[in-house]
Amino acid sequence: MIACPSPKCSSPNVADLPHYWQSLPSESPLKAKYAPPARPKASYWAAVAGIVAGVLVITGGGVLLGLLLIVGGAGWGAVVYKAVQWAEAQRAAWESSHVCLACTGTF
Ligand SMILES: [Zn+2]
């Protein structure tokens, strides 16, 4: 049995955050407060475009510029990847959270 971790509350009246959130009516102000983190809009097209453009520039003779484009594209891809990983971790944390129905704290 889980209880609220707040020392002033310690109520055993806690709910799964995802279930609680789903049961809220959409007009409830709590619906936004307890909403899950947004799904990341992962877009690798800029990274891929940079790498493709870099290869094209290199085959056209612009080795240095081409390498810069490839490195930039790969770096951007890594940034997008990190952002996706972070957002997935936030989402997983939300899915395993609980809400206290007495003091409305989440944990
Ligand atoms: Zn509480």
Side-chain angles (χ1 to χ4, degrees):
M1 187 68 208
I2 315 159
C4 178
S6 165
K8 290 191 195 115
C9 174
S10 64
S11 164
N13 199 8
V14 296
D16 259 8
L17 186 54
H19 289 150
Y20 178 68
W21 181 74
Q22 266 158 24
S23 73
L24 287 170
S26 53
E27 63 270 19
S28 166
L30 294 174
K31 195 82 176 176
K33 183 184 170 193
Y34 294 132
R39 282 256 181 239
K41 287 191 266 310
S43 135
Y44 289 101
W45 71 265
V48 173
I51 293 169
V52 169
V55 172
L56 289 177
V57 169
I58 287 177
T59 54
V63 174
L64 194 63
L65 179 64
L67 284 177
L68 276 175
L69 283 167
I70 290 173
V71 168
W76 180 247
V79 167
V80 172
Y81 179 75
K82 285 270 178 211
V84 168
Q85 295 292 98
W86 185 82
E88 289 297 328
Q90 295 291 105
R91 179 89 189 188
W94 179 83
E95 272 166 5
S96 58
S97 302
H98 296 85
V99 58
C100 174
L101 302 179
C103 71
T104 72
T106 53
F107 54 96

